[in-house]
Amino acid sequence: MQTWSSVDVPTIPGTPRPLRLHDTATGQVRPTSPGETARMYVCGITPYDATHLGHAATYLTFDLVNRLWRDAGHDVHYVQNVTDIDEPLLERAIRDQDDWIVLGMRETALFREDMTALRVLPPREFVGAVESIPEIVEVIAKLVVAGAAYRADDSEYPDIYFDHAATGHFGYESNYDEETMRKLFAERGGDPDRAGKRHPLDALLWRMARPDEPSWESELGAGRPGWHIECSAIAVNRLGLGFDLQGGGSDLVFPHHEYSAAHAEALAGDRPFARHYVHAGMIGLDGEKMSKSRGNLVFVSRLRADGVDSAAVRLALFAGHYRADRAWTDDLLTTAEARLARWREAAALAAGPSVDDTIARLRDHLTNDLDTPKALAAADAWADEALKRQGTDSAAPGLFRDAVDALLGVLL
Ligand code: ZN
C-alpha cells in the first residue's frame, strides 16, 4: 500500500542518548537496544472513520520513538498495517449503504492526509490486510500443522481458531489474570461463547465465508482472516521475530497484542514476538474516553479545516505524558498555541543564549520514556530566556528550531 510523504529531519549537534521506554510485559522502563536498524511495528487503523485525536496521540508517540532512534544514529524499519477488512468496516459500510472497499480507500486516504499534516514520519512499509491475505493464509496453515490451531467443531462454519495455550506462556504480555482476559476478550471483539471452540479464550484465525460477506479463496477454504493474525504475520514477515518494539494504544494490550505475540511465538517455537510492548494512553473528551461508540470524537481533519496549526496539536498532546489517559480541552489547545507562538518568536531572534544545554535536556527527558512535559518545559526555559535577554549566540535560534523539529517534530 502507498505510504505518505516524508519530511526532512534536521541533524543536531551533541551526544544522543539511548532510548528507554516502558515495556508492558515487564512493567518496567527499560533501555531499548536496537541494532544498526531499529525495527518497529505499530498497529494501524481500521479505515471506517476519520482519524481522531486518540489515534493522533498514538501515532505521535511512536513518531517520537522513530525520531529518537534516528537521532541516535539508527536506521528505522517501521511497519504499520491497515486493517482494510474486518467487522467494524463491514458494519459501517452496511449502515451507510457504502461499498466497503470504497469506504476503506477513502478513509485510508484521509488518514494519510492527516498524518502528513501532523508531520508524522511515514512507515517504510504501510501494509493492507487484504493485500497480505496470501501470507496470512500461509501462517495459519502452518499453525494448523503445528497443532496450535484447529477447526471449530461446527458443521456449518468450521472456522479456524488458535489454541491460546499453545505457547505455554499466554498472558505474559498483558499480565492479566484469566478473569480479566475473559472480560476484555468479550468486550473487545472476541467470541468467548462461540459454540465449537475448545476454550473460550481461543481466538479466531480464519473465518469461513458467509453469504453476503467478502471472502478470499485459499487452501484453508474461502474466508477471511482474523485481526490478530493479520498483525502477527505482517510484522514477523517483515521484521523477524524479536523485533524491537510493538506499539499501539492501551486498548490493544489485550486481546490484540497478546494474541499477535502468541500466534507468532507458537509458530516459531521461540519468543519474544517483540522486545518492547509499548502502549499509549487514551484521550478523553468531557470526562469520557474518545471513542466511536460514544460519538465524542475530535477529528484531526476537523481541526485542520478550522485552521489549527498541526504543530499546536503536537504541543497540546505532548503537554501530557504519553502513557497517561488524558483529556482534550479547548484550554489545552489555547495553551499550546501560546507556547508555539513564544517558541516561534524566540526562534526568529537574531541571536540567543547558548542552546547546547537545552538540547542535552531535551534528549535526556525524551529518552527517559518520552517525558514530553519536561522536554517542553526545557524548551520553554530557553525561549523565555532568549526573549528576556536575547544573548549573543547567533546560531542559537536556528539550532533551537532544528532541535524541536528533529526531536519533537514541531516546525517553528
Ligand atoms: Zn495490530
Side-chain angles (χ1 to χ4, degrees):
M1 208 175 243
Q2 186 197 340
T3 186
W4 59 91
S5 48
S6 196
V7 287
D8 287 337
V9 181
T11 308
I12 48 173
T15 311
R17 310 273 190 281
L19 174 61
R20 297 164 53 80
L21 286 172
H22 182 268
D23 167 35
T24 302
T26 56
Q28 292 174 338
V29 175
R30 299 193 290 112
T32 60
S33 50
E36 198 176 319
T37 298
R39 299 167 296 161
M40 172 162 75
Y41 184 91
V42 179
C43 290
I45 55 162
T46 300
Y48 66 99
D49 210 340
T51 319
H52 59 70
L53 284 172
H55 297 127
T58 296
Y59 298 114
L60 287 174
T61 295
F62 296 102
D63 189 55
L64 294 181
V65 172
N66 195 340
R67 287 169 182 276
L68 292 162
W69 274 340
R70 284 173 180 235
D71 184 51
H74 300 286
D75 172 40
V76 182
H77 188 172
Y78 176 15
V79 178
Q80 188 182 132
N81 69 309
V82 178
T83 304
D84 55 359
I85 178 68
D86 204 11
E87 289 333 297
L89 180 66
L90 297 176
E91 284 165 13
R92 178 60 64 94
I94 289 167
R95 191 197 80 176
D96 295 349
Q97 296 185 306
D98 210 342
D99 181 298
W100 67 272
I101 296 175
V102 175
L103 172 64
M105 286 174 69
R106 189 172 67 230
E107 295 303 340
T108 304
L110 183 60
F111 176 74
R112 286 192 195 95
E113 281 175 32
D114 288 338
M115 292 297 107
T116 304
L118 288 170
R119 304 183 80 247
V120 173
L121 299 173
R124 181 174 297 173
E125 296 183 86
F126 191 49
V127 188
V130 170
E131 65 184 344
S132 310
I133 285 176
E135 63 182 278
I136 299 170
V137 164
E138 196 181 321
V139 170
I140 296 172
K142 284 182 185 164
L143 284 168
V144 173
V145 170
Y150 63 92
R151 290 203 182 259
D153 184 10
D154 174 338
S155 54
E156 194 177 12
Y157 296 117
D159 302 328
I160 301 178
Y161 279 85
F162 176 71
D163 172 3
H164 77 289
T167 61
H169 51 258
F170 187 75
Y172 85 89
E173 181 268 339
S174 64
N175 294 296
Y176 291 148
D177 59 23
E178 182 160 332
E179 192 187 333
T180 307
M181 287 188 197
R182 286 194 187 217
K183 179 173 159 285
L184 291 174
F185 188 65
E187 285 172 11
R188 296 175 177 169
D191 53 0
D193 302 324
R194 199 259 197 230
K197 295 205 301 185
R198 293 179 193 165
H199 190 281
L201 282 176
D202 290 352
L204 180 74
L205 294 172
W206 187 253
R207 178 178 165 91
M208 300 298 284
R210 310 300 202 257
D212 303 322
E213 279 188 14
S215 62
W216 287 263
E217 291 298 334
S218 82
E219 63 183 281
L220 307 169
R224 60 183 163 93
W227 177 34
H228 317 311
I229 191 66
E230 167 194 334
C231 283
S232 198
I234 292 174
V236 168
N237 284 345
R238 284 157 190 79
L239 300 173
L241 199 76
F243 58 92
D244 295 289
L245 187 160
Q246 154 90 320
S250 60
D251 52 348
L252 300 189
V253 169
F254 192 92
H256 187 55
H257 287 175
E258 192 76 67
Y259 285 96
S260 297
H263 296 337
E265 291 165 3
L267 186 61
D270 197 5
R271 64 192 286 200
F273 176 57
R275 292 154 76 185
H276 259 81
Y277 297 95
V278 180
H279 297 102
M282 299 285 113
I283 303 299
L285 188 72
D286 305 327
E288 288 195 87
K289 177 190 154 184
M290 207 176 277
S291 73
K292 282 163 192 168
S293 53
R294 291 195 176 91
N296 61 341
L297 303 177
V298 177
F299 293 112
V300 174
S301 45
R302 182 70 250 164
L303 292 173
R304 286 202 280 129
D306 289 345
V308 174
D309 192 318
S310 68
V313 176
R314 276 187 179 255
L315 289 179
L317 290 169
F318 292 161
H321 190 257
Y322 80 95
R323 279 198 281 136
D325 291 340
R326 52 208 199 273
W328 179 263
T329 62
D330 290 341
D331 271 359
L332 193 67
L333 184 59
T334 308
T335 304
E337 284 170 332
R339 171 176 265 147
L340 182 62
R342 212 161 56 243
W343 289 12
R344 281 184 175 153
E345 197 184 335
L349 293 169
S354 167
V355 80
D356 296 351
D357 280 357
T358 304
I359 292 176
R361 286 165 65 199
L362 284 173
R363 283 188 171 121
D364 277 346
H365 295 312
L366 290 171
T367 55
N368 180 24
D369 198 28
L370 310 179
D371 192 342
T372 52
K374 283 193 182 149
L376 300 196
D380 283 343
W382 182 86
D384 289 346
E385 182 69 14
L387 290 168
K388 217 185 294 172
R389 285 187 250 285
Q390 255 204 23
T392 54
D393 184 346
S394 59
L399 274 177
F400 177 74
R401 189 185 299 113
D402 283 352
V404 298
D405 182 359
L407 300 175
L408 292 165
V410 171
L411 188 64
L412 298 183

